[in-house]
């Protein structure tokens, strides 16, 4: 941002996206205010704590801190800023629809607090159903009208594609930056904001413990219609989930015909039209985004009379993967009542303590229903799990070896790196029955078989 004027930005919502993006923009020298009505979270941030587990975020916040102000009330909001970026949550309702309560509240608050004469651009970064960006404009305008302020409002959609656990990396090295707008003024300002990322010219102070990618091309700057930008986000997540469900379905066939899914995935992924990523077979995808966004796009289709059969099948296959685990256990152990089952991994994927949409949840719930005795281990997600499911009768294990003691079976649910190199030979001796379900195809099969384990992987050839 050298030589360029700093931008004044207000971001609303300090979740994974809001906090990381605020820190990135502030570390580029912009003046960023981050508003979140969760007082606890803002207090922690003010005191230098990092409320989420994200690689490099602590270091990034240190660089960003001089340019970053945290506020927890609309009383301190100032609309005399160049950009307002909305990053509040859009959770899933019971029926699979998107809950826009927070987005609506924020839009209305912006309208109520708007000072006459200011002209910020309002950017929607939250994942929202197609058409919401225009709704946000209307909500703001309705409030302005009540206050007899007549002003043109600029809105734009700027979806976010970062992955949890890799939020800082993905923010600095994205494949593309998508801007949905019909205004050249908006385009110019956002191009200025993103120029350090677009040109890969980060400030020298930004030294992070994050490995730079090799030969990564510069991000593509893609300007689209507002509604296209909104749909791009849903379509991207649905496609990635579909790729995983596809390989999981092929894995089911591989198991039956005696092929090995890791070899099959490599063989098809090397075709550049297909690509190798998101082809890791396992017991299903989870997280704060894929489950919510696939349901949301399905429902948006339904509303418009479009049957999204591929998205529906994507969700159905994912459900079957979870059921597969239970059926394998039953196959190996018969009745699961009073059987001791150890669960390795609770978070929805490694390197995060997030358990939203985690496959562990449904598996544990089903096993409890069947009367099994459950022990769980996770390097960092136990606190979150305990807080979310305080009534579940499960044993939280701190020493990983203890999960094997007297167990009838172990299910590896999350592929934490440390699970790969456990002394399985020794641990097998502590077990009642030596059954292991490798839900992420993480483990080397031969030593397990040698240690006497009955091994089940997802579509792997282990006979
Ligand atoms: C996802 C998208 O990747 C990101 O672009 C978007 O902004 C938010 O949603 P995230 O939820 O952080 O990101 O997780 P991701 O790393 O994509 O994994 C999602 C799920 O798919 C996890 O449960 C993971 O275990 C599973 N997965 C991923 C597989 O089962 N196989 C794979 O090959 C890849």
């Amino acid at each position: 941002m050298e030589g360029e004027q700093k931008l004044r930005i207000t971001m609303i919502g300090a979740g994974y996206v809001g906090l990381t993006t605020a820190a990135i923009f502030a570390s580029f020298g912009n003046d960023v205010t981050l508003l979140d009505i969760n007082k606890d979270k803002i207090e922690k941030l003010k005191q230098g704590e990092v409320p989420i587990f994200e690689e490099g975020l602590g270091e990034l916040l240190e660089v960003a801190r001089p340019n970053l102000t945290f506020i927890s009330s609309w009383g301190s909001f100032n609309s005399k800023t160049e950009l307002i970026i909305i990053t509040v949550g859009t959770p899933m309702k019971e029926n699979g629809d998107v809950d826009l309560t927070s987005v609506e509240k924020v839009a209305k608050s912006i309208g109520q607090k708007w000072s006459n004469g200011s002209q910020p651009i309002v950017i929607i970064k939250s994942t929202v159903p197609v058409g919401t960006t225009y709704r946000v404009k209307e909500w703001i305008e309705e409030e302005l009208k009540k206050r007899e302020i007549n002003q043109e409002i600029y809105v734009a959609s700027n979806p976010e594609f970062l992955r949890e656990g890799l939020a800082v990396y993905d923010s600095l090295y994205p494949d593309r930056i998508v801007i949905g707008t019909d205004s050249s003024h908006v385009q110019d300002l956002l191009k200025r904001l993103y120029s350090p990322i677009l040109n890969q010219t980060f400030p020298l102070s930004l030294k992070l413990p994050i490995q730079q990618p090799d030969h990564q091309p510069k991000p593509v700057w893609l300007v689209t219609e507002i509604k296209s930008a909104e749909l791009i986000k849903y379509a991207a997540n649905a496609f990635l989930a579909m790729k995983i469900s596809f390989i999981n379905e092929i894995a089911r066939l591989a198991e039956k015909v005696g092929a090995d899914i890791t070899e099959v995935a490599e063989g098809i992924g090397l075709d550049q039209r297909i690509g190798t990523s998101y082809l890791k077979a396992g017991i299903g995808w989870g997280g704060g985004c894929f489950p919510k966004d696939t349901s949301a796009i399905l429902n948006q289709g339904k509303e418009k009379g479009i049957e999204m059969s591929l998205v529906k099948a994507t969700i159905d296959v994912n459900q079957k993967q979870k059921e597969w685990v239970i059926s394998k256990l039953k196959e190996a152990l018969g009745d699961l009542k009073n059987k001791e089952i150890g669960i390795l991994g609770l978070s929805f994927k490694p390197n995060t303590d997030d358990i939203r949409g985690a496959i562990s949840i449904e598996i544990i719930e089903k096993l409890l229903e069947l009367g099994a005795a459950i022990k769980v281990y996770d390097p960092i997600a136990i606190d979150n799990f305990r807080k979310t499911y305080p009534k579940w009768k499960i044993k939280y294990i701190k020493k990983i070896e203890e999960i094997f003691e007297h167990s009838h079976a172990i299910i590896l649910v999350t592929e934490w790196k440390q699970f790969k190199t456990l002394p399985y030979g020794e641990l097998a001796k502590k077990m009642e029955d030596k059954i292991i379900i490798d839900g992420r195809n993480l483990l080397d099969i031969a030593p397990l078989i040698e240690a006497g384990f009955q091994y089940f992987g997802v579509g792997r050839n282990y006979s």
Side-chain angles (χ1 to χ4, degrees):
M1 187 134 297
E2 267 158 48
E4 291 238 44
Q5 224 189 331
K6 290 179 185 181
L7 289 166
R8 271 173 305 134
I9 304 168
T10 300
M11 302 214 29
I12 302 159
Y16 283 91
V17 172
L19 182 56
T20 310
T21 316
I24 295 269
F25 291 152
S27 74
F28 294 167
N30 298 293
D31 183 354
V32 182
T33 301
L34 180 57
L35 165 64
D36 195 300
I37 51 168
N38 182 334
K39 290 198 167 45
D40 224 37
K41 192 185 259 182
I42 290 297
E43 218 28 66
K44 279 187 181 152
L45 283 165
K46 277 185 182 167
Q47 280 163 19
E49 278 181 51
V50 186
I52 50 174
F53 184 86
E54 266 305 329
E55 201 183 3
L57 184 58
E59 291 84 350
L60 178 69
L61 278 166
E62 280 316 305
V63 181
R65 207 159 280 279
N67 304 321
L68 197 48
T69 310
F70 299 105
I71 58 172
S72 59
S73 100
W74 282 95
S76 323
F77 172 81
N78 182 357
S79 74
K80 291 214 158 111
T81 166
E82 281 139 312
L83 289 167
I84 298 174
I85 306 180
I86 302 179
T87 51
V88 291
T90 49
M92 181 162 78
K93 292 193 210 165
E94 275 298 284
N95 67 356
D97 278 349
V98 182
D99 183 350
L100 286 175
T101 314
S102 299
V103 175
E104 182 176 350
K105 269 195 194 145
V106 165
K108 289 189 170 162
S109 302
I110 293 172
Q112 287 153 10
K113 293 283 168 188
W114 195 283
S115 27
N116 210 348
S118 57
Q119 195 154 47
I121 297 167
V122 180
I123 310 289
I124 322 298
K125 229 184 207 313
S126 305
T127 302
V128 290
V130 180
T132 305
T133 302
Y134 286 119
R135 270 307 278 144
V136 165
K137 183 170 156 45
E138 284 165 10
W139 281 322
I140 299 172
E141 281 168 349
E142 277 161 26
E143 293 303 317
L144 292 183
K145 215 165 169 192
K146 285 184 201 161
R147 299 171 55 212
E148 292 176 357
I149 299 176
N150 191 359
Q151 178 135 28
E152 190 176 357
I153 307 288
Y154 289 105
V155 288
S157 165
N158 172 211
E160 181 53 63
F161 304 101
L162 59 80
R163 290 163 293 177
E164 280 180 32
L166 293 166
V168 177
Y169 176 93
D170 282 348
S171 300
L172 291 173
Y173 309 108
D175 294 327
R176 77 296 208 192
I177 293 165
V178 176
I179 307 292
T181 181
D182 47 18
S183 147
S184 56
H185 166 57
V186 172
Q187 262 191 66
D188 291 347
L189 209 71
L190 288 178
K191 206 162 203 176
R192 227 174 93 194
L193 174 68
Y194 277 108
S195 77
I197 297 174
L198 283 171
N199 303 315
Q200 294 288 295
T201 48
F202 310 130
L204 288 174
S205 55
L206 201 66
K207 286 199 187 98
L208 299 174
I210 282 186
Q211 183 133 27
Q212 233 172 296
D214 299 331
H215 318 298
Q216 169 95 345
K218 284 184 183 168
V220 174
W221 177 251
L222 182 66
V223 178
T224 69
E225 296 289 333
I226 288 183
K227 288 186 176 179
S228 307
E230 291 171 325
L231 187 54
I232 284 169
K233 173 63 192 260
Y234 282 109
N237 273 354
F239 191 86
L240 292 169
M242 183 178 73
K243 254 187 121 175
I244 305 167
S245 279
F246 175 81
I247 203 69
N248 284 341
E249 188 167 84
I250 300 292
R252 308 281 293 280
L253 181 61
E255 183 188 334
K256 291 285 180 225
V257 299
D260 189 302
I261 198 62
T262 36
E263 292 174 355
V264 176
E266 191 185 0
I268 62 172
L270 285 170
D271 182 331
Q272 287 189 20
R273 294 169 301 173
I274 297 173
T276 47
S277 63
Y278 285 75
L279 279 186
K280 255 200 271 144
I283 47 177
W285 40 265
C289 292
F290 282 2
K292 149 175 109 72
D293 294 351
T294 45
S295 289
I297 194 172
L298 192 66
N299 283 9
Q300 286 171 67
K302 221 180 270 167
E303 229 172 70
K304 299 287 176 200
I306 305 290
E307 199 190 326
M308 314 282 289
S309 12
L310 282 177
V311 181
K312 188 170 179 311
T314 299
I315 297 170
D316 289 348
V317 170
N318 205 46
Q319 191 54 34
K320 283 194 190 121
Q321 291 307 102
K322 301 173 214 172
E323 290 159 14
W324 173 88
V325 176
I326 308 293
S327 70
K328 277 290 152 198
L329 263 187
K330 283 185 175 163
E331 199 182 292
L333 284 171
D335 189 1
L336 297 180
K337 201 167 167 55
N338 297 327
K339 295 279 162 49
E340 285 197 28
I341 314 288
I343 306 285
L344 283 178
L346 293 171
S347 57
F348 83 93
K349 65 174 187 181
N351 307 321
T352 176
D353 61 351
D354 195 351
I355 58 156
R356 285 176 300 164
I359 305 295
S360 60
I361 300 168
E362 267 187 65
I363 291 179
I364 293 172
E365 194 173 23
K366 185 75 199 162
L367 290 174
L368 287 173
E369 227 176 85
L370 293 168
I374 304 296
K375 296 182 275 187
V376 300
Y377 174 85
D378 189 286
I380 57 171
I382 282 189
D383 282 350
N384 262 350
F385 205 90
R386 207 198 310 251
K387 262 187 237 151
T388 317
Y389 299 101
K391 293 202 177 125
W392 284 11
K393 286 205 173 69
I394 46 186
K395 225 184 196 174
Y396 293 97
I397 303 288
K398 285 210 179 101
K399 274 173 116 182
I400 198 163
E401 307 81 59
E402 287 173 17
I403 206 128
F404 290 80
E405 278 169 19
H406 314 297
S407 285
H408 294 86
I410 296 290
I411 311 174
L412 191 154
V413 175
T414 316
E415 66 275 37
W416 284 98
K417 212 166 73 196
Q418 52 268 53
F419 296 163
K420 192 167 169 72
T421 50
L422 294 176
Y424 285 99
E426 284 308 303
L427 295 168
K429 294 179 194 152
K430 298 174 186 273
M431 293 182 71
E432 188 72 31
D433 284 311
K434 299 176 189 27
I435 292 163
I436 191 156
I437 299 195
D438 179 5
R440 299 292 170 187
N441 288 349
L442 178 77
L443 307 173
D444 298 327
I445 305 172
L448 290 173
I449 305 276
E450 206 168 293
F453 274 105
Q454 195 180 345
Y455 173 92
F456 298 97
V458 182
R460 284 175 103 182
N461 188 357
Y462 42 82
S463 52

